[in-house]
């Protein structure tokens, strides 16, 4: 990493100039995306009213905050009840047009709407998926039930809905014969959040309810049900989560197809019993399990990196200072630049073959991963901030001031996104923690030490659920003289 002589410009002045440059580059990118949007080069939702998608929020973070906000309510009102945390597929649509909302800015987004925002946007959540997607998701369900950690379950039931969130359920076998007496089930809904994912085929609703023990249905005797429906359901049931695919019928006619994921009651029970110092991590674990199961098996693109706004997360420039302070010319992209295998590069590589390393290409998006001000952010080449599922958990695993250079990339065999680290800028906030002026060999050793099995990162990782944290991988480098090793 070569470093030209330092400038004497104040860092705040550089940041202001960099923000202007970033805005210009971002405007150009928006223009190009907008043209693609008009040409139909991208997968767009049905045209309808627009939701503001220029400032996203990581979905798992939103779910974690949602659970934390309801903890006291659950403890006060949930005595004797099981806590149901459920994620459903559907579409956020306009009450005025009944069309799914469109994004205000083309591209990936994760826009979270609390209940007051849904009202202010005149929006509603319509659950359900298409028959074609339902069949595709059914094959995904089969992949889950093929695993030893999930059990396959099928059920058929008649559900009568009554006022006051009451329903009478008649369980039946697959031939329609009752398997047990009818029972009354009462649910108390505590709240919900809706997550708008315009680049995905469906949006998500996450809701929390209290489900009270089954009771005798005599309390609704003589009352006409508001509606009745038959449910044909296939499920994959694990220790931590249950996935339900349900065909809803009125008589013999299918009315809708539903996809739901529900945390097992033991997960919420364990969380509610945690000591105060472990509450955040417990909520993060539950949010991670719910979101990673959904994205890994059903909508992989739901775990993309999402653009945020600096003014929302870094109003005092603390995060930007944390990585820009290490560079002499921060107004330009300061990361190392690779040399390709073009013919004109070969003489330069041969002349300094002891200084060059090679690796296979990773087809991801390049970011700095910055740990600063008790948060973790991905920063792209245009100096724009991004969030990603599992990112915030790294704040307790990496030293404050850590800056890593790498790629956010899909790990195909694991069906999830990871951060592939290929360089290190700093391992802390002190000048002595900077690696900028060190040879690449020493920087690779720094990455190895930071992420090794004896490191604080690795030890902390053992105490976290794998679904709750973004995995860090070290890129495999070989000295250029050993280039054949790359292809083995």
């Amino acid at each position: 990493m070569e470093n030209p002589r330092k400038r004497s410009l104040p860092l705040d002045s550089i940041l202001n100039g960099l923000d202007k440059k970033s805005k210009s580059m971002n405007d150009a990118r928006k223009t190009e995306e907008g043209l693609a949007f008009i040409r139909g080069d991208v997968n767009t939702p049905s045209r309808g009213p627009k939701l503001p998608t220029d400032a996203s929020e990581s979905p798992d973070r939103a779910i974690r905050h949602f659970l934390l906000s309801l903890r006291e309510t659950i403890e006060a009102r949930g005595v004797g009840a099981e806590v149901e945390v459920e994620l459903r597929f559907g579409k956020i649509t306009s009450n005025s047009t009944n069309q799914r909302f469109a994004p205000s800015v083309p591209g990936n987004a994760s826009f979270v709407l609390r209940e007051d925002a849904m009202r202010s946007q005149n929006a509603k959540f319509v659950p359900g998926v298409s028959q074609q997607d339902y069949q595709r998701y059914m094959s995904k369900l089969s992949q889950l039930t093929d695993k030893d950690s999930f059990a396959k379950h099928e059920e058929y039931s008649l559900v009568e809905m009554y006022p006051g969130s009451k329903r009478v359920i008649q369980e039946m076998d697959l031939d329609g014969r009752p398997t047990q007496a009818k029972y009354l089930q009462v649910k108390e809904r505590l709240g919900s959040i809706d997550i708008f994912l315009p680049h995905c085929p469906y949006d998500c609703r996450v809701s929390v309810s209290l489900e009270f023990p089954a009771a005798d249905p005599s309390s609704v005797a003589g009352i006409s049900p508001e509606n009745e429906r038959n449910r044909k359901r296939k499920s994959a049931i694990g220790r931590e989560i249950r996935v339900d695919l349900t065909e809803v019928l009125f008589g013999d006619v299918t009315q809708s197809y539903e996809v739901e994921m529900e945390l097992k009651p033991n997960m919420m029970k364990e969380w509610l019993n945690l000591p105060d110092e472990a509450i955040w991590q417990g909520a993060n674990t539950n949010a991670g399990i719910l979101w990673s199961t959904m994205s890994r098996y059903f909508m992989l693109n739901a775990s993309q990196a999402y653009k945020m706004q600096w003014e929302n997360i870094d109003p005092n420039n603390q995060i930007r200072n944390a990585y820009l302070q290490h560079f002499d010319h921060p107004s330009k992209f300061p990361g190392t630049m690779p040399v390709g295998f073009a013919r004109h590069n070969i003489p330069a590589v041969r002349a300094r073959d002891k200084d060059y390393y090679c690796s296979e290409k990773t087809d991801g998006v390049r970011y700095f991963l910055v740990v600063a001000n008790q948060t973790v952010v991905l920063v792209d080449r245009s100096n724009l901030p991004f969030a990603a599922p599992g990112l915030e958990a790294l704040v307790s695993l990496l030293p404050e001031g850590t800056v890593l250079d790498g790629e956010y990339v899909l790990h195909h065999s694991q069906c999830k996104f990871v951060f592939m680290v290929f360089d290190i800028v700093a391992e802390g906030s002190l000048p002595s923690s900077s690696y900028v002026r060190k040879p690449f060999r020493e920087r690779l050793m720094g990455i190895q030490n930071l992420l090794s099995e004896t490191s604080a990162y690795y030890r902390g990782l053992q105490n976290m659920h794998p679904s709750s944290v973004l995995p860090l991988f070290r890129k495999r480098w070989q000295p250029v003289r050993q280039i054949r090793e790359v292809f083995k």
Side-chain angles (χ1 to χ4, degrees):
M1 188 182 294
E2 298 295 333
N3 294 282
R5 191 168 51 194
K6 281 197 173 184
R7 294 181 177 180
S8 59
L9 288 175
L11 189 56
D12 285 343
S13 175
I14 293 173
L15 284 170
N16 289 334
L18 191 57
D19 283 342
K20 291 179 181 178
K21 180 179 178 181
S22 297
K23 184 177 185 302
S24 177
M25 294 176 68
N26 192 38
D27 288 344
R29 182 164 58 185
K30 285 182 181 179
T31 300
E32 178 57 32
E33 289 175 343
L35 290 173
F37 198 64
I38 293 170
R39 292 193 302 264
D41 296 341
V42 293
N43 185 22
T44 63
S46 300
R47 294 297 179 94
K50 289 181 169 57
L51 285 176
T53 54
D54 55 336
S56 290
E57 180 179 359
S58 183
D60 62 326
R61 179 181 187 272
I63 297 170
R64 183 185 70 236
H65 284 187
F66 177 52
L67 295 179
L68 290 170
S69 71
L70 288 176
R71 182 180 170 89
E72 290 186 3
T73 302
I74 294 170
E75 290 177 332
R77 293 158 58 177
V79 178
E82 288 187 344
V83 183
E84 178 187 89
V85 180
E86 180 183 75
L87 182 150
R88 308 180 75 185
F89 283 8
K91 294 182 179 180
I92 299 175
T93 64
S94 167
N95 276 311
S96 302
T97 66
N98 289 323
Q99 288 180 299
R100 186 186 184 192
F101 278 91
S104 62
V105 179
N108 299 338
S110 168
F111 184 63
V112 180
L113 296 100
R114 278 72 180 178
E115 294 184 21
D116 56 344
M118 289 288 284
R119 288 191 293 270
S120 66
Q121 295 287 346
N122 194 27
K124 61 183 177 182
F125 182 83
V126 180
V129 302
S130 70
Q131 182 179 10
Q132 181 179 358
D133 286 336
Y134 184 79
Q135 296 302 324
R136 182 166 57 87
Y137 292 147
M138 191 64 73
S139 67
K140 299 290 187 180
L141 188 79
S142 298
Q143 293 178 20
L144 277 175
T145 55
D146 287 342
K147 297 177 179 292
D148 293 337
S149 54
F150 282 87
K152 183 178 180 180
H153 177 72
E154 295 186 33
E155 64 183 54
Y156 181 42
S157 59
L158 172 64
V159 182
E160 300 172 348
M161 306 298 296
Y162 291 88
S165 300
K166 297 178 180 179
R167 53 186 180 178
V168 173
I169 300 175
Q170 173 69 75
E171 303 282 359
M172 293 178 280
D173 62 22
L174 298 180
D175 294 321
R177 295 186 295 266
T179 57
Q180 64 182 63
K182 290 183 178 182
Y183 60 90
L184 176 69
Q185 187 179 76
V186 179
K187 277 190 178 183
E188 180 185 355
R189 180 177 167 277
L190 299 183
S192 64
I193 58 172
D194 296 289
I195 303 173
F196 180 50
L197 302 166
H199 60 294
C200 294
Y202 299 101
D203 308 313
C204 296
R205 165 167 284 185
V206 178
S207 58
V208 176
S209 303
L210 299 177
E211 187 172 303
F212 293 89
D216 186 278
S218 58
S219 62
V220 295
I223 302 175
S224 298
E226 294 178 331
N227 62 66
E228 297 180 1
R229 63 179 191 169
N230 295 315
R231 298 187 309 192
K232 290 183 178 180
R233 173 172 288 174
K234 293 186 177 182
S235 305
I237 303 175
R239 193 196 77 83
E240 300 171 332
I241 195 167
R242 169 180 178 142
V243 181
D244 296 325
L245 269 65
T246 307
E247 185 178 352
V248 180
L249 305 96
F250 279 91
D252 295 328
V253 179
T254 299
Q255 185 202 32
S256 63
Y257 299 92
E258 298 181 353
V259 178
E260 303 166 334
M261 273 140 266
E262 181 182 331
L263 286 175
K264 293 295 292 296
N266 62 286
M267 298 301 295
M268 288 299 290
K269 185 177 180 180
E270 291 172 9
W271 176 58
L272 292 169
N273 290 328
L274 289 174
D276 290 346
E277 63 271 15
I279 289 174
W280 187 96
Q281 185 170 321
N284 196 57
T285 295
N286 285 337
I289 291 170
L290 197 62
W291 194 258
S292 66
T293 301
M294 183 279 293
S295 63
R296 185 175 183 181
Y297 294 101
F298 297 94
M299 287 199 307
L300 190 56
N301 282 343
S303 284
Q304 290 280 4
Y306 296 115
K307 186 174 66 177
M308 302 184 292
Q309 297 292 330
W310 279 125
E311 56 265 29
N312 295 335
I313 63 169
D314 189 34
N316 299 318
N317 291 337
Q318 290 176 296
I319 299 174
R320 282 167 281 187
N321 286 344
Y323 70 94
L324 291 175
Q325 66 173 328
H326 297 287
F327 301 107
D328 297 335
H329 288 273
S331 58
K332 299 179 180 179
F333 177 69
T336 54
M337 300 304 294
V339 174
F341 283 104
R343 183 183 296 274
H344 65 270
N345 288 326
I346 293 177
V349 173
R350 282 181 171 174
R352 298 176 56 190
D353 60 359
K354 293 182 180 179
D355 299 328
Y356 279 95
Y357 286 73
C358 56
S359 71
E360 61 180 332
K361 179 174 171 51
T362 306
D363 191 19
V365 180
R366 187 174 184 179
Y367 296 99
F368 284 133
L369 187 152
V370 183
V371 184
N373 199 25
Q374 291 300 301
T375 191
V376 187
V377 178
L378 298 178
V379 182
D380 74 353
R381 293 188 183 194
S382 300
N383 193 44
L384 296 173
F386 285 74
L391 192 63
E392 285 191 309
L394 292 172
V395 75
S396 63
L397 302 179
L398 298 173
E400 176 79 4
T402 296
V403 183
L404 302 175
D405 195 353
E407 292 180 85
Y408 189 71
V409 62
L410 176 62
H411 194 299
H412 289 279
S413 64
Q414 296 186 15
C415 290
K416 64 180 181 181
F417 286 91
V418 303
F419 190 77
M420 183 71 72
V421 182
F422 55 69
D423 205 348
I424 183 170
V425 175
E427 194 180 351
S429 54
L430 297 176
S432 58
S433 302
S434 176
Y435 279 82
V436 169
R437 289 173 173 76
K438 295 181 180 180
F440 191 51
R441 183 188 302 272
E442 291 186 32
R443 302 204 301 272
L444 292 181
M445 186 61 66
I447 297 171
Q448 181 176 332
N449 293 337
L450 183 67
L451 305 180
S452 72
E453 293 186 1
T454 60
S455 66
Y457 162 80
Y458 187 82
R459 291 194 302 271
L461 199 62
Q462 307 315 301
N463 298 320
M464 289 189 174
H465 193 285
S467 295
S468 68
V469 59
L470 176 66
L472 302 182
F473 282 62
R474 286 190 295 123
K475 192 159 193 173
R476 188 168 68 100
W477 290 97
Q478 295 289 344
V480 73
R481 291 181 175 182
Q482 301 173 19
I483 190 172
R484 289 182 177 85
E485 296 295 321
V486 175
F487 301 99
K488 289 185 177 180

